[in-house]
Amino acid sequence: TMKRLFSTSHSSVDSKEMRKFQLLAHKWWDEEGEYSALHSMNDIRVPFIRDTLLNMSSNYHLGTPLSGVKILDVGCGGGLLSEPLGRLGASVTGIDPLEDNIRTADQHKSFDPVLAKRIQYKSSSLEEIVEECMETFDVIVASEVVEHVADLEMFIKCCSQVLKPEGSLFITTINKTQLSYVLGIVVAEKMIGIVPEGTHEWEKFVPPEELEHILESNGFTVKSVNGMLYNPLSGSWSWMESTSVNYAMHAVKSGARGQSSPGDAPSETEGEQPSATAGTTM
Amino acid sequence: RAPLGLVAAAAPLYDVVVSGGGMVGSALAAVLGHDIHFHDKKIALLEAGPRKEYDRMPDSYSNRVSSISPGSATLLSSFGAWDHVCSLRLKPFRRMQVWDACSEAMIVFEKDDLDDMGYIVENDVIMSALTKQLDAVADRVEVFYRSRAVGYTWPLPSHSCDTSPWVQIELADGRRLQTKLLIGADGHNSVVRKEAEIKTIEHRYDQSAVVATLHLSEATDNNVAWQRFLPTGPIALLPLSDTASSLVWSTSHEHASELLAMDEEGFVDSINSAFWSNVNHSDFIDTAGAMFRSAISLLKPSGTAVRQLPPSVAKVDPGSRAMFPLGMGHATEYVQHRVALIGDAAHRVHPLAGQGVNLGFGDIACLAHHLSAAAFNGSDLGSLKHLLKFETERQRHNVSLIAATDVLKRLYSTRLAPLVLLRTWGLQATNALPPVKVRI
């Protein structure tokens, strides 16, 4: 069936955003190119995801610490984060609304038979897979994505629907502060060009307090928030106390099953879900 | 020409291929094979020679030995190889006495706590231990004997999507392999290095090393390594047992050939004379040296050590005499996209410092550390990011040592009084200064 990727106001996909990324669809895997900062972000976001999940589980498979974990990589782009997660043993589904990104990702993984088996890519928005993927995934990663979505509340609701109870949601994104405007847009885009110009719009940046609020009112418990800092001289990322520029958040979906019934289409007029409390029964 | 997709499907893909099954290549393959983060990875080791069986050590000692530092011993025990070495044979030494033929200057290296300074181990013993540890991880490390790589095809930088991103290797028998990371451990004439077009700074010394297995005149607590700098080059006696020592004598090509051609008695006499004769002393140097020594003993009473006398040699093992030419070399880069050089492929030194194989083991410890972390992060193993970290760390360490060894070699190749005096005083001063000695 032909899926309409643009225009529906009930989509979290922003068509203007898609056009920006279209132009760069072939540049994903140049480690020194436009996406070099995302490549080096793997040095902190992969260990963060890996160690959080290892701490939560008691199984350990030598050599493949994420073996048996089903991960959804939302807004996977060219697969920069899907591939390391796949190498660590996870079964990864990467989705991205832009077909060219998926094509790039598919081609890049095709040369490695192990990755080709562990990772599946699909050109799709998050809403489009909700119906067939209810409570399917152990983990969702939405890295450098929420600052590009049109409707954040709906995005989070969809995440909740496809995530198993007690599943983990990892988000990395940019705060909305004066500092993030100066560093994230003026410096990063206009001055030293470590991010292609026009990639980000400060209006769509998400403060961690707002993200936490949306998460908590949609059945999630926020477990940790950490600030991240990029050093353009060394080209490397590090953790920092302050979340005033970039930050990473880990949240866990409550254990009570079926917060909303599977058939409902996500709707903007839906009232606030009661916060998850332990022991709610159907 | 077959479409690339078909070719790629035919050639097996490895995570790491190590080219060169000598001590350094085999050790790296074994270290990675025992690494927990490499548990599900595929490693291949390519060795041009046949598989050697080391079930029984012959009674006589091999003439190729190495001085193994405590750091190298630690690396070897990290994957169980050191236990095998100890169960075969090795000789720990506690002390190293180094002195000049042109003066009385001497320096003694000794650990305060009387721990072992190092170990003299036959190369065959090390290989036996490594082979055993490779067999133990045969499900992860595939060793290809009698396999020589004749051609390498390098991938284009990773962002060009339509050709294979892996290194293609063609073997002499026509078989092909692919790998995400190729390690060049193929010695100082490294084919990997040449094919990768990595330049080296190299220099052939006008010297060859003569090796032999010697029997001492009388049994002794043979736990000192001796080295005397003659004008023609350093002569070293490395302990193998209470009655046997290994000879490493670096000298001119002509002299080396003479030594090999001599009858056994003449050979033994040359060795004893090299260690005992004072023909190169001059009164001037002796007096200057003596004055300096008394000056030091005023300032630092313990700064001059007791001079021990080297053992004298009675016999040489027949057939154990051999020679090989010496040179130095240093690759300008140790790494490239999907390629790394270790051991003599990256750097070649004069044996006078006994460092050669230890530098290689140091390379292994560093590279394995970075590769293990990369594997645990799910990174592409051939990525320059972590390979460059390895290169920086090792070049920093190796360059100064290689340069110093080269300088020492040149400094000690002369009889000219000023330089002799310089190195005499230098040696004596170094002997008296604990911090400098510890660093060495």
Side-chain angles (χ1 to χ4, degrees):
Chain A
T1 50
M2 281 285 292
K3 288 277 190 180
R4 312 246 332 274
L5 295 175
F6 299 84
S7 83
T8 147
S9 59
H10 288 297
S11 168
S12 63
V13 174
D14 184 320
S15 57
K16 242 175 28 164
E17 298 278 355
M18 294 226 327
R19 272 194 287 278
K20 283 191 295 202
F21 282 104
Q22 177 79 52
L23 297 168
L24 294 165
H26 303 289
K27 307 283 187 94
W28 285 102
W29 287 99
D30 180 2
E31 284 187 33
E32 315 289 313
E34 278 87 351
Y35 288 114
S36 65
L38 276 183
H39 277 276
S40 59
M41 197 193 279
N42 277 345
D43 292 340
I44 61 169
R45 60 184 173 172
V46 174
F48 174 52
I49 296 168
R50 174 198 75 205
D51 292 342
T52 306
L53 295 176
L54 282 178
N55 281 338
M56 285 173 23
S57 104
S58 45
N59 294 329
Y60 185 75
H61 301 259
L62 277 184
T64 49
L66 298 184
S67 170
V69 180
K70 290 182 73 173
I71 303 185
L72 174 68
D73 182 2
V74 185
C76 62
L80 264 58
L81 182 52
S82 298
E83 289 204 2
L85 295 175
R87 279 194 201 99
L88 291 178
S91 301
V92 184
T93 302
I95 62 172
D96 195 281
L98 205 53
E99 273 183 44
D100 279 353
N101 284 349
I102 295 298
R103 205 167 311 152
T104 301
D106 261 327
Q107 186 170 48
H108 196 265
K109 72 154 194 184
S110 68
F111 292 103
D112 185 335
V114 168
L115 287 185
K117 250 190 356 197
R118 288 196 189 140
I119 307 176
Q120 304 307 321
Y121 291 114
K122 197 162 180 258
S123 173
S124 166
S125 69
L126 180 56
E127 300 78 34
E128 285 163 345
I129 62 161
V130 165
E131 243 181 79
E132 33 177 273
C133 296
M134 292 299 293
E135 298 198 343
T136 300
F137 298 102
D138 300 299
V139 175
I140 300 181
V141 300
S143 182
E144 305 304 297
V145 163
V146 301
E147 69 267 24
H148 297 289
V149 303
D151 184 337
L152 182 55
E153 177 101 33
M154 181 163 70
F155 183 86
I156 299 296
K157 283 196 209 302
C158 291
C159 285
S160 177
Q161 289 176 300
V162 301
L163 198 54
K164 289 182 187 164
E166 289 172 29
S168 279
L169 172 60
F170 293 91
I171 295 177
T172 76
T173 188
I174 311 179
N175 196 349
K176 190 175 177 184
T177 60
Q178 279 188 330
L179 190 58
S180 75
Y181 181 73
V182 171
L183 291 184
I185 302 208
V186 177
V187 175
E189 290 187 13
K190 301 189 195 299
M191 284 175 56
I192 55 183
I194 45 177
V195 177
E197 187 153 357
T199 300
H200 289 128
E201 278 173 52
W202 188 78
E203 282 306 315
K204 300 179 73 174
F205 286 176
V206 184
E209 303 78 30
E210 185 184 320
L211 184 57
E212 235 181 286
H213 176 73
I214 298 179
L215 285 167
E216 303 258 336
S217 36
N218 281 285
F220 284 96
T221 312
V222 174
K223 295 289 188 183
S224 70
V225 187
N226 293 298
M228 295 160 57
L229 182 66
Y230 183 67
N231 179 341
L233 294 174
S234 64
S236 63
W237 289 87
S238 53
W239 296 110
M240 73 166 174
E241 275 289 329
S242 158
T243 56
S244 44
V245 191
N246 294 74
Y247 64 94
M249 195 174 280
H250 170 232
V252 172
K253 175 177 166 180
S254 82
R257 288 194 150 266
Q259 283 284 9
S260 50
S261 60
D264 285 354
S267 159
E268 282 167 81
T269 57
E270 200 172 31
E272 297 248 82
Q273 291 286 351
S275 314
T277 49
T280 26
T281 50
M282 286 298 295
Chain B
R1 207 169 177 277
L4 211 54
L6 279 184
V7 174
L13 173 65
Y14 291 87
D15 293 287
V16 181
V17 168
V18 182
S19 184
M23 284 190 285
V24 173
S26 300
L28 177 67
V31 166
L32 293 179
H34 282 82
D35 187 298
I36 51 170
H37 301 307
F38 270 73
H39 194 259
D40 67 336
K41 305 256 184 275
K42 286 176 64 179
I43 302 165
L45 174 63
L46 302 177
E47 166 52 36
R51 181 189 165 102
K52 291 198 206 134
E53 291 308 331
Y54 299 98
D55 301 324
R56 286 196 64 247
M57 280 286 123
D59 290 331
S60 58
Y61 288 93
S62 157
N63 61 7
R64 295 307 303 268
V65 307
S66 294
S67 167
I68 301 297
S69 67
S72 297
T74 304
L75 173 74
L76 292 172
S77 46
S78 73
F79 59 98
W82 192 243
D83 284 339
H84 293 310
V85 170
C86 294
S87 71
L88 288 169
R89 58 187 181 210
L90 80 167
K91 190 75 177 73
F93 61 93
R94 300 249 164 82
R95 204 169 181 263
M96 201 153 75
Q97 181 168 304
V98 179
W99 74 111
D100 198 332
C102 298
S103 78
E104 288 298 309
M106 171 190 86
I107 182 168
V108 172
F109 296 93
E110 194 162 48
K111 278 199 168 162
D112 289 326
D113 38 4
L114 291 183
D115 254 353
D116 296 329
M117 270 202 72
Y119 311 89
I120 304 299
V121 189
E122 295 155 90
N123 293 356
D124 281 345
V125 168
I126 298 176
M127 281 308 304
S128 167
L130 293 176
T131 305
K132 201 153 182 191
Q133 288 311 96
L134 282 171
D135 287 343
V137 289
D139 54 339
R140 246 161 281 155
V141 184
E142 214 175 319
V143 186
F144 291 76
Y145 290 101
R146 299 183 190 278
S147 299
R148 206 169 32 91
V150 295
Y152 297 102
T153 309
W154 310 113
L156 299 168
S158 53
H159 60 275
S160 167
C161 300
D162 32 354
T163 52
S164 169
W166 315 127
V167 178
Q168 312 290 326
I169 304 170
E170 192 181 333
L171 300 182
D173 61 7
R175 277 182 299 175
R176 308 187 76 106
L177 308 175
Q178 300 185 86
T179 182
K180 302 175 187 174
L181 174 62
L182 172 69
I183 310 277
D186 45 350
H188 66 260
N189 283 323
S190 168
V191 172
V192 173
R193 187 188 69 223
K194 290 182 188 157
E195 293 282 312
E197 295 181 359
I198 294 176
K199 303 211 179 354
T200 43
I201 300 165
E202 41 188 4
H203 179 82
R204 246 171 257 181
Y205 293 128
D206 280 329
Q207 285 187 340
S208 285
V210 173
V211 293
T213 309
L214 307 173
H215 294 275
L216 307 179
S217 308
E218 44 186 49
T220 169
D221 258 346
N222 199 5
N223 55 15
V224 179
W226 309 95
Q227 177 150 283
R228 191 180 196 196
F229 282 97
L230 307 173
T232 46
I235 179 171
L237 217 54
L238 307 171
L240 291 171
S241 72
D242 287 346
T243 55
S245 287
S246 187
L247 173 78
V248 184
W249 191 347
S250 308
T251 184
S252 69
H253 298 306
E254 305 75 42
H255 187 214
S257 306
E258 281 170 31
L259 286 169
L260 247 54
M262 268 181 218
D263 62 8
E264 287 185 17
E265 256 191 67
F267 184 66
V268 167
D269 285 343
S270 304
I271 296 172
N272 285 324
S273 155
F275 275 107
W276 290 84
S277 141
N278 284 339
V279 71
N280 285 302
H281 286 206
S282 79
D283 289 333
F284 170 62
I285 299 288
D286 280 351
T287 319
M291 274 171 44
F292 194 67
R293 226 176 9 260
S294 16
I296 290 182
S297 55
L298 281 176
L299 297 167
K300 211 177 179 311
S302 63
T304 56
V306 174
R307 174 186 294 276
Q308 270 187 257
L309 299 172
S312 72
V313 176
K315 262 176 13 91
V316 55
D317 250 359
S320 73
R321 274 187 269 176
M323 69 185 255
F324 51 91
L326 298 176
M328 71 84 91
H330 193 247
T332 51
E333 300 165 309
Y334 286 3
V335 300
Q336 262 182 24
H337 180 57
R338 300 204 185 286
V339 182
L341 301 175
I342 57 173
D344 283 3
H347 42 71
R348 182 188 183 197
V349 290
H350 194 282
L352 69 83
Q355 287 311 302
V357 80
N358 295 311
L359 286 183
F361 286 140
D363 292 343
I364 292 172
C366 180
L367 182 59
H369 165 80
H370 286 294
L371 290 180
S372 184
F376 193 42
N377 281 353
S379 303
D380 178 349
L381 289 177
S383 163
L384 260 183
K385 198 126 58 92
H386 49 265
L387 293 181
L388 283 172
K389 289 189 195 160
F390 153 73
E391 180 186 74
T392 306
E393 274 179 49
R394 289 310 290 171
Q395 282 194 333
R396 251 185 229 149
H397 176 274
N398 293 344
V399 170
S400 44
L401 197 140
I402 294 166
T405 307
D406 187 62
V407 165
L408 272 182
K409 184 258 168 217
R410 293 169 196 277
L411 182 61
Y412 275 92
S413 298
T414 177
R415 279 192 191 81
L416 292 176
L419 289 169
V420 174
L421 211 52
L422 179 71
R423 71 196 193 210
T424 299
W425 285 344
L427 206 54
Q428 286 177 318
T430 311
N431 195 31
L433 294 174
V436 179
K437 275 173 64 172
V438 165
R439 241 186 142 250
I440 302 176

